[in-house]
């Protein structure tokens, strides 16, 4: 059976089939993580990214090509999590740009779409590394162009050849990245992309697929003290929190956006308007949501509409709080957006990984805390929500994880009404140091430089356990062993947590070390942490040692040496 073109309906099926395929295989992809740690998350991040778009795609009935492409691009962009998820969203973004103007798609168009996808993804990564998802994507694009130039016209033959070549490229990723070869795995992001493409091939070959979507993203919680139950409802000037997305169908440029924002300012406050090509996300607090909706309808159709009565919700939460435990009260307060905080010159959004660390960040000035980090990377949408809820001219974002930096940068690129500065902190201790070194009387440029430079002086270590046998960094590791992980490598391995942690600290310290901070996790006790601190002080009497309850899961200790 030959297939010379595919229409919007088939593109829809292919995308959903790819989503279902990676959903079914996400745990296998997670296990390909180079470090044998219990929070390997590439498969999860890519699945949640594609599923964010799949919900919108599945909801379309008899869609046009443009509608399918908008849903794929917009949904994956907002839902992107982790480096692999952000890169996947950029691949979709570039691919759909080439398709959206077409009614029927042939091999020539598909080849151009593959090339544009790769070009877009490479641009999104500051320092592209070969042997990764990017390499696999580029291999697919190169084979796609070769087949088109050779005169291939059958879409099915084309797809089979492209997927087969991507598998070949994936298989050689260990030769391109020594760390993969040492761990005995192929690149997990590349495997995720290949899995999506295999799902696409399933749809093209007519394989029956259940398109029912069951994945729901575990929420990343926001911790902020802004929704205080002691505030009177009389203090809420505008009572309705109104959110929606405009699917732009009429003229909408920068001038129109400024006019739209000015109109919203005339009827409310806490305004956020984020534009992404033909999709505009709107948030406003107003006393008449209908006015905002009527104005938005002049630009196109609306979706994802949500209107909350903040006064009513406030009263319900006060009543509910009287009968609930304090922890539940705090959790609900955390989820409440900043209602009427006055505009200020600067604010801070930070990612954290435990209750104790949340309190530390709050104490040093964080306005909005996204709980996620290692075990659940926040999405671009989570970052945008945080930005919406900090009423400041300039907002500094501290990702505190190398796998979250791209999502933060993507959120920054989608924000137009505030200046967003991403401080590329890769660990929680780096984020703490960066925030402490902020100087309110300095310029944005000076603070960005100062915070970035100061955090580089922090050495970070983390202690967790191995989930599989492997050989890495010259060490034989067995499943269940405790591992001390430095900024880049595994520095200690053993069967005793205290010994492994002490050995890790010894590897991080040198003659210039002055301060050691121990953040103990939820599985450790204060007594155990203090005993470890005493051991360090005995070995290094000139070094100050601080002990803090971090409350983080999975990681028994997070350490910093300065």
């Amino acid at each position: 059976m030959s297939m010379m073109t595919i229409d919007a309906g088939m593109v829809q099926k292919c995308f959903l089939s790819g989503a279902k395929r990676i959903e079914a295989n996400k745990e296998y992809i997670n296990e390909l993580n180079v470090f044998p740690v219990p929070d390997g998350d590439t498969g999860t991040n890519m699945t949640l990214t594609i599923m964010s778009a799949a919900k919108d795609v599945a909801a379309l009935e008899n869609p046009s090509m443009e509608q399918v492409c908008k849903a794929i691009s917009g949904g994956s962009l907002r839902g992107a999590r982790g480096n692999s998820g952000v890169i996947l969203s950029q691949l979709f973004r570039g691919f759909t740009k080439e398709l959206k103007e077409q009614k029927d798609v042939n091999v020539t168009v598909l080849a151009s779409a593959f090339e544009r996808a790769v070009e877009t993804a490479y641009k999104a990564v500051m320092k592209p590394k070969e042997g990764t998802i990017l390499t696999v994507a580029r291999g697919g694009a190169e084979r796609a162009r070769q087949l088109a130039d050779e005169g291939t016209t059958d879409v099915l033959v084309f797809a089979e050849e492209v997927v087969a070549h991507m598998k070949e490229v994936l298989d050689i990723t260990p030769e391109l990245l020594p760390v993969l070869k040492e761990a005995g795995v192929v690149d997990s992001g590349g495997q995720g992309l290949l899995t999506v493409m295999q799902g696409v091939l399933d749809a093209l070959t007519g394989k029956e697929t259940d398109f029912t979507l069951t994945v729901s993203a575990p929420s990343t919680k926001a911790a902020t003290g802004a929704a205080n139950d002691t505030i009177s409802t009389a203090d809420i000037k505008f009572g309705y929190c109104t959110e929606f997305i405009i699917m732009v169908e009429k003229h909408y440029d920068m001038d129109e956006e400024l006019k739209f924002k000015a109109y919203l300012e005339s009827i409310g406050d806490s305004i956020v308007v984020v534009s992404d090509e033909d999709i505009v996300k709107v948030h406003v607090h107003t006393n008449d949501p209908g006015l905002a909706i009527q104005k938005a309808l002049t630009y196109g159709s609306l979706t994802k509409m949500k209107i909350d009565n903040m006064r009513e919700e406030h009263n319900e939460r006060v009543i509910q709080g009287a009968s609930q435990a304090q922890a539940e009260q705090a959790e609900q307060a955390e989820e409440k957006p900043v209602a009427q905080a006055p505009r200020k010159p600067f604010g801070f959004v930070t990612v954290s990984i435990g209750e104790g660390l949340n309190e530390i960040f709050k104490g040093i000035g964080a306005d909005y805390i996204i709980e996620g980090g290692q075990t659940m990377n926040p999405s671009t949408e989570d970052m945008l929500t945080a930005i919406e809820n900090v009423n400041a001219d300039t907002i500094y974002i501290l990702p505190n994880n190398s796998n979250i930096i791209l999502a933060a940068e993507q959120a920054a690129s989608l924000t137009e009404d505030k200046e967003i500065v991403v401080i590329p902190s890769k660990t929680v201790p780096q984020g703490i140091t960066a925030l402490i070194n902020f100087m309110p009387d300095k310029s944005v440029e000076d603070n960005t430089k100062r915070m970035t430079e100061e955090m580089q002086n922090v050495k970070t270590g983390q202690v967790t356990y191995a989930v599989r046998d492997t050989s890495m960094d010259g060490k034989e590791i067995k499943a269940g062993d405790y591992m001390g992980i430095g900024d880049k490598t595994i520095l200690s391995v053993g069967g005793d947590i205290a010994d492994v942690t002490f050995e890790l600290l010894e590897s991080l310290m040198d003659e210039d070390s002055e301060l050691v901070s121990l953040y103990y996790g939820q599985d450790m006790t204060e007594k155990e942490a203090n005993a470890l601190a005493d051991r360090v002080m005995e070995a290094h009497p000139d070094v100050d040692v601080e002990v803090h309850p971090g409350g983080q899961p999975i990681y028994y200790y997070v350490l910093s040496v300065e």
Side-chain angles (χ1 to χ4, degrees):
M1 180 186 72
S2 61
M3 185 183 298
M4 309 310 290
T5 62
I6 57 174
D7 59 12
M10 179 54 76
V11 172
Q12 181 184 37
K13 288 181 179 179
C14 287
F15 182 79
L16 293 175
S17 182
K20 292 294 290 187
R21 181 101 176 200
I22 195 170
E23 176 197 0
N25 291 277
K26 65 179 182 293
E27 292 304 329
Y28 168 70
I29 298 167
N30 283 341
E31 291 171 3
L32 295 176
N33 188 39
V34 170
F35 283 97
V37 294
D39 64 351
D41 52 11
T42 301
T44 300
N45 282 339
M46 295 183 77
T47 298
L48 293 177
T49 297
I50 196 171
M51 282 297 175
S52 176
K55 295 172 196 171
D56 295 338
V57 174
L60 297 172
E61 295 184 11
N62 300 317
S64 66
M65 189 69 73
E66 185 177 11
Q67 288 173 324
V68 173
C69 289
K70 282 183 181 179
I72 292 173
S73 178
S76 60
L77 197 68
R78 296 188 302 272
R81 294 175 185 266
N83 293 343
S84 56
V86 171
I87 293 171
L88 183 64
S89 74
Q90 291 296 321
L91 288 169
F92 288 145
R93 188 180 190 186
F95 194 89
T96 54
K97 279 183 180 179
E98 200 69 27
L99 259 62
K100 66 181 182 180
E101 302 297 333
Q102 308 292 325
K103 183 177 180 180
D104 294 306
V105 175
N106 58 24
V107 165
T108 301
V109 174
L110 287 171
S112 297
F114 270 100
E115 290 175 326
R116 191 160 183 178
V118 170
E119 179 185 0
T120 303
Y122 266 87
K123 285 181 179 178
V125 181
M126 186 172 295
K127 295 181 180 179
K129 185 180 293 186
E130 296 306 327
T132 65
I133 181 176
L134 290 170
T135 306
V136 177
R138 194 183 71 239
E142 290 171 350
R143 182 58 177 149
R145 173 50 59 196
Q146 182 183 23
L147 289 165
D149 291 346
E150 290 174 352
T152 301
T153 57
D154 190 324
V155 173
L156 184 54
V157 172
F158 169 85
E160 289 173 339
E161 289 287 335
V162 169
V163 172
H165 187 70
M166 290 174 72
K167 174 66 167 64
E168 293 174 5
V169 175
L170 176 66
D171 289 341
I172 65 169
T173 53
E175 303 302 321
L176 300 174
L177 267 182
V179 68
L180 295 175
K181 190 170 186 177
E182 185 178 9
V185 295
V186 296
D187 179 68
S188 55
Q191 180 65 65
L193 178 60
L194 178 65
T195 302
V196 172
M197 291 302 299
Q198 288 169 333
V200 169
L201 194 57
D202 287 343
L204 290 173
T205 56
K207 182 177 179 179
E208 290 189 16
T209 302
D210 177 11
F211 293 128
T212 303
L213 303 179
T214 57
V215 169
S216 58
S219 63
T220 48
K221 296 187 291 182
T224 170
N228 193 325
D229 285 338
T230 63
I231 297 173
S232 167
T233 55
D235 295 327
I236 300 177
K237 183 178 179 182
F238 296 102
Y240 295 94
C241 177
T242 306
E243 296 178 274
F244 51 81
I245 292 174
I246 306 173
M247 307 295 285
V248 177
E249 298 164 355
K250 300 177 183 178
H251 178 69
Y252 186 89
D253 56 14
M254 184 58 69
D255 289 339
E256 286 298 326
E257 180 167 310
L258 292 174
K259 292 177 184 177
F260 183 40
K261 287 180 179 178
Y263 177 78
L264 294 178
E265 287 171 355
S266 72
I267 63 169
D269 65 4
S270 295
I271 294 157
V272 177
V273 177
V274 179
S275 303
D276 172 36
E277 296 185 358
D278 296 327
I279 297 174
V280 181
K281 183 177 180 183
V282 179
H283 173 279
V284 60
H285 292 173
T286 178
N287 284 326
D288 194 338
L291 293 176
I293 290 170
Q294 289 173 21
K295 183 65 175 177
L297 284 169
T298 65
Y299 298 113
S301 57
L302 306 186
T303 184
K304 304 281 184 165
M305 298 177 67
K306 181 173 177 284
I307 300 173
D308 294 323
N309 184 328
M310 293 189 293
R311 296 186 182 94
E312 182 179 303
E313 285 187 351
H314 177 85
N315 288 334
E316 288 177 356
R317 289 177 58 240
V318 172
I319 295 169
Q320 190 177 38
S323 61
Q324 289 185 334
Q326 185 176 358
E328 291 180 338
Q329 289 179 326
E331 183 175 350
Q332 290 181 2
E334 287 167 359
E335 294 175 357
K336 183 73 174 177
V338 176
Q340 293 297 320
R343 188 81 166 188
K344 56 183 183 176
F346 50 80
F348 304 94
V349 171
T350 185
V351 179
S352 184
I353 56 176
E355 291 182 6
L357 290 165
N358 293 352
E359 292 304 314
I360 291 172
F361 275 117
K362 290 177 187 176
I364 58 177
D367 296 282
Y368 195 102
I369 297 171
I370 305 172
E371 288 190 42
Q374 298 290 72
T375 54
M376 175 53 63
N377 293 158
S379 66
T380 298
E381 182 76 10
D382 293 325
M383 295 288 180
L384 289 171
T385 298
I387 290 168
E388 289 176 10
N389 287 297
V390 177
N391 193 16
D393 297 322
T394 300
I395 299 174
Y396 296 85
I397 299 180
L398 302 163
N400 302 334
N401 186 312
S402 60
N403 206 34
I404 301 174
I405 294 173
L406 276 182
E409 291 175 343
Q410 187 153 280
S413 71
L414 295 174
T415 304
E416 297 179 355
D417 64 331
K418 300 173 182 177
E419 181 179 12
I420 308 300
V421 179
V422 178
I423 303 296
S425 52
K426 296 181 180 179
T427 66
V428 165
Q430 281 191 350
I432 291 172
T433 298
L435 190 48
I436 288 173
N437 279 279
F438 176 82
M439 304 293 288
D441 58 337
K442 298 292 185 181
S443 67
V444 173
E445 293 75 18
D446 288 343
N447 268 311
T448 300
K449 181 180 179 182
R450 176 185 174 86
M451 294 166 76
T452 302
E453 288 179 350
E454 289 297 328
M455 75 183 188
Q456 301 302 328
N457 297 323
V458 178
K459 297 177 184 177
T460 302
Q462 300 173 102
V463 180
T464 186
Y465 62 93
V467 294
R468 68 170 186 271
D469 296 349
T470 189
S471 175
M472 193 171 191
D473 298 327
K475 295 177 173 60
E476 291 297 324
I477 302 169
K478 301 295 183 183
D481 281 350
Y482 299 113
M483 300 182 299
I485 304 172
D487 289 322
K488 295 181 179 179
T489 61
I490 297 174
L491 297 174
S492 59
V493 177
D496 182 88
I497 293 177
D499 289 345
V500 168
T501 307
F502 184 78
E503 184 181 343
L504 171 62
L505 274 169
E506 290 287 281
S507 299
L508 295 174
M509 297 176 70
D510 57 33
E511 60 184 13
D512 296 323
S513 299
E514 298 177 350
L515 174 65
V516 171
S517 299
L518 304 176
Y519 304 94
Y520 61 91
Q522 64 183 21
D523 295 322
M524 304 304 296
T525 65
E526 183 179 9
K527 181 179 179 180
E528 290 170 319
N530 284 330
L532 178 61
D534 290 341
R535 183 175 173 183
V536 176
M537 287 187 288
E538 183 178 347
H540 303 276
D542 296 331
V543 175
D544 293 327
V545 181
E546 297 180 351
V547 176
H548 304 278
Q552 69 274 5
I554 297 180
Y555 288 83
Y556 303 109
Y557 289 101
V558 173
L559 320 167
S560 72
V561 176
E562 301 176 59

